[in-house]
Every structure is written in structure tokens, then in C-alpha cells.
Amino acid sequence: MSVLSSRDWGNLALCAIALAIAACLPWTAGAYGLSIGVTIAMYTVLATSWALFSGPTHYISLASAAFFGVGTYVTGIGIQYLPYWTLLPIAGVSGAVMAALVGLATLRLSGVYFVIFTLGLAEFVRQIITWSQNISGTKGIYVLTSIGEMHIYWQLLGLAALVWLLGWLIGRSRLGFALRIIGDDEAVARHSGIDTARAKILLFMVPGAVAAITGAMLAPRYVYIEPSLAFSPMLSFQVVIMALLGGTGRLWGPLVGVIPFTFLWEAISVSFPNQTTLLLGVCFLVIVYLLPKGFVGLIDLAARRMRSAEGYV
Amino acid sequence: MDILITGLLLGGTYALIAMGLNLQYGMARIMNLANGEMLVAGGFVAFWLWTGSQISPLLTVFVVAPVAFLLNWLIYLIFLRPLVKRAKSRGQLEVDSILTTFGLSFVAVGLMLAFFGGDYFSYSYLSEPVHILGDTYGANRVAAFLAAVVICGLLWLWLNRSRAGMTIRAISVAPEAARLVGIDVRRTAALAFALGGAVTATGGALISTFLTLDASTGVIFTLKALVIVIMGGVGDVRGTIVAALLLGLLETFVARLIDPGLTLAAAYLLFVVILLFRPQGLFGRPTT
């Protein structure tokens, strides 16, 4: 790995300042503001890690809810036996292992199979858990901890920083380079000696682990966990929409999608609770027909226009 | 024996639904993830005409099929043809069509929620018992099965014996070569897509006579239809029928002997096993 340039240091400092400002939110915003903050932080983490895999490879993963739910259950079940802080790494490892298994089964195949497989995954795990709960006679699980909204927010913020750092490192590594080639043309990548399946599986473990940790962090917020809450398929779709809306070409792209979408979603579910699905559908269509590269694409286009207007190009 | 026949009856209706998706994915090359919503819409119309004016679901089919055909034709022209045109590669068309049909599926669910509400809907039609080999079955299941057999049979004859059917199969096997021998690939693909939608909606009308549906169950049927299509081999009509019957049997076995809540999990496991051992499907040729 090469030494950091002065520009890298500048960006790093800028990020640190932005994070520090974001960390002050619990003192400045009210309870409602903080809860929106948690939602935004949560989707930022999920969408950014999703984009790390799906951005370069163009494989659409709908498994976020499955990993998230598994993480929630790790906290839900584990909190009775283990201290909270040990549960987050356990959740991360379970998510990564699960992602590796999914990847082994499907990532050698065409993209459609992967989409369908990941779509079914959350439903599959949910049915298994519901069934085993019916057998053992328990319904949901209570998660009673002293962890408040504020702590969840800071944890998520830390995780977001970690994801960005990881994404930046991957982008500079051999793995990141291999993935960009795979994204351009998988056949070319294979012929130039890249083990495409291995690269894809390795990278798919990142969103798997991150989503599971996020689920584990959010479990205390729900207090009462049940399968239909932990494995809600809507979560997977929202993650995809937000990441694509922002744009997956840049590390900060998903964030640009998460913030407006969270407010829009919040507004719609307050005044038209039944129409959130319709909104989701319209967003999908907008992305395909109007914003194929997301907001990031628009920003890039505007920047290029401005530069050419000033005569630099 | 009882399980065997119930499974086959269910599988017959599945065959019809999966046939619709197979026409869309195998022939028109559009992975239509809004397929299940078309099915639920077909069921809604049947429900609505039966409770409103006592029109038999078996007759409703004659209304549902042409309307769905037209609707799917329009969907293809408005939403999907621009994607086919702009796609530079098969992969890009795949991603675009997945996102678009997901969007359409959510829009459809939203519209159905707005018009009909989120309640479950079911009605009782032909629920008198029928005796087959000493056991009793619901007449509605038998009627739906027979209707499915007739429609599948007609479709098979049409695909294999008529000129139009042959062109559809031709674009499924080799779209480039089909164009060279003078087939209008774009028109034929639209035809296959519209026909697939009509078949699926018909299946929905039939299945609503004995299954309870609601606005958001579509995705479950999409998943099942996909499992069947992939299991049988994409673009293969025989494979689809065999796979549908197998899935019907498997689901009935699991529901009766283990737990009714695990049927989708069983279908999913089947999907995994197929992907691991025979990704080209039971009858499919290995892709190059």
C-alpha cells in the first residue's frame, strides 16, 4: 500500500470533522430528531456496505434483511448469556459465514439467480425461526438493556466510519481492482487470471457482516423481537433503493440517497401509511429511467458542465 | 395416496402460473418480477365478479385473459422495450429489467392496496366434495386442475404446431439467428410477454377459487414460479410442467407431514439443491 498523499490526509481530516459534528446530534436534536438520526445512520451503514459489493459487480443483493435479522436474533438470544459487547463480533462473524455460504451457492451463476436466491433468503430464515418458535412454544424475545437511542446512534456512526474506511482500503487494494474488472467484463477478468468467484464471495461477506452487526446494534431499540419485524423484506428493498438513488460509483454516494429518502419515507408513512409500497415502486422506476447513476451521476454531470463553462476542459 | 393427488392437483395449477413466467423469461427474455402481482390481480377480478354478480371464475377466465394480454402488451411497449433498445449487453438488460419489474410490482401492490384494501380475500365457489379413488377433494381444486390441463395442452399444441408458436420458440433458442431468417424478434418478444401475462392472470383467477390471497402475496407466487421455471429449465415447456407437479407434491408432503408453515422454506431448499447440482434445470441444456 502506498503512502498517503496530502490530498488523502485532507479528505481524512474532513471526514473526521464531519463525523465529529454528526456525533453531536444527540445534544442538539430532540427525541424525534435523534430517532430520525438513528434511522439515517442505520441505512447509511447498510446502503454503503451494500454498494461496496453491488456497485462494482452489478449483482443486486436482496439479502440485507436476512443478515440484519440474524444479527438481531444474535443479540436477542445472546443477551441472556453474554455481555453485549461480545455479541457484536459474534453477529458479524455469523453474517460473514452466512454470506460466504450464499456466495458459494450462487455467485458462480448468472445474476438473476443471485437476485432470486437472496430475495428468498430472508423469507426462508424467517419461516425456520417461526417454525422453531412454534415448536418450542415461545413467541418473541424481550431485549432489555440499558442501551439507549443515543448509544445506538454513536455505535452506528462508528460502524459507518469503519465501513467507509474499509471501502476506501478495498478500493486501493488488489481485490478492489479485481472487482472493477469483473464489473466491466467478467469474461475478461476470468481470462486474465482473476478468480472471479473468490473475489465476489470475499466482498459479499462485507455487507453480510455489516448488516448482521447493524441488526445486533438495533435489537435493544426494538425491545421486543419477533420474526416478522427482524426479517422485514421492506428493509432489503429500501437499502437497494437508497444506495442506487444516491449512486454506487462513489463511497459517499449512498449517503446522498439515504438522507432524502428517509425524510420522504417518513413523510409518506405518516400521512399515507398504505402508500409506502407505491413510493418504493415509483423510486425503482425513477432510478431506471431517469437516474441510472443516481444523484452522484447528476452531481458529476453538473461539475463537468461547470468546469467546461469555465473553460478548463 | 391422498397427499399424492392433492399434490398433483396443486401442481397442475402451478404449472399454469409457471408457464406464464416461462413465456416471459424464457422467450421474451424479461425476468418479470411483477408476475405474481398479475396473478393476484387475476384473482381479484375473479373474486370481484363472483361476489358482485355471481359470475363463475371459470367464465371470468375469458374476460381476464384478453384484458391481461392487452395490459401486458402495453407494459412491454411502454416500460420494457426502451430497456431492450438501450441495453448494451444481456447483463445490463437483466439488471434494468429486474429493477423495473420490481418497481412495477410495488406500484401494482400499492394500487391494489388503495383500491381493495389490505384484507385477505377468499370466496366459496364449488366447495362441494368430489370422490376420487375413495378419498374426497374439493371440486374447485379439481376444476382448476382440469382447466389448467386444458390451457397447458392448448398452449403446448400452439407452441409446437403453429407457425406463430414456432417463431416464439425460435427467438427463445437463438434471437440473432431468428432475425436472420426474417422473424420480427421485437414483435414476437412482445407477443410472448403479453401471452405470458395472460396465462399467469388466468392461473390467478383459477387459484383464487381455493387459495386465500391478499394484495401483497404476489411475491410468494413469483418466487414459486421462478423456482419451477429454473428447476424445469428456462424456456422448456415440458420441464416446467414436470417441475410444477414436483413442487406441488413436495409442498403438500411438507404441509401434511411436517408443518404447513414450512412450504415456502421447502420450495427454497429445493431451489438451492437445484442451483448446486443442476443449474441448467432438469431438461435444460448446459449453457455455453
Side-chain angles (χ1 to χ4, degrees), chain A residues 58 60 62 105 109-110 112-113 115-117 120-121 123-124 127 131 237 244 274-275 277-278 281 284-285 288-289, chain B residues 31 79 83 86 94-95 98-100 102-103 106-107 110 113-114 226 230 259 261-262 264-265 268 272 275 279:
Chain A
H58 305 300
I60 298 168
L62 291 169
L109 301 166
S110 125
V112 175
Y113 293 155
V115 177
I116 309 311
F117 190 88
L121 188 65
E123 196 62 30
F124 174 71
Q127 283 205 345
W131 176 66
F237 290 117
L244 291 178
N274 274 333
Q275 293 319 321
T277 24
L278 193 62
F284 266 111
L285 296 178
V288 176
Y289 295 102
Chain B
M31 170 52 87
F79 289 103
L83 297 182
R86 91 176 183 198
E94 222 166 51
V95 173
I98 284 170
L99 291 178
T100 305
F102 255 133
F106 282 121
V107 169
L113 274 177
L226 278 169
I230 290 167
D259 190 299
L262 285 181
L264 195 65
Y268 187 74
V272 178
L275 283 190

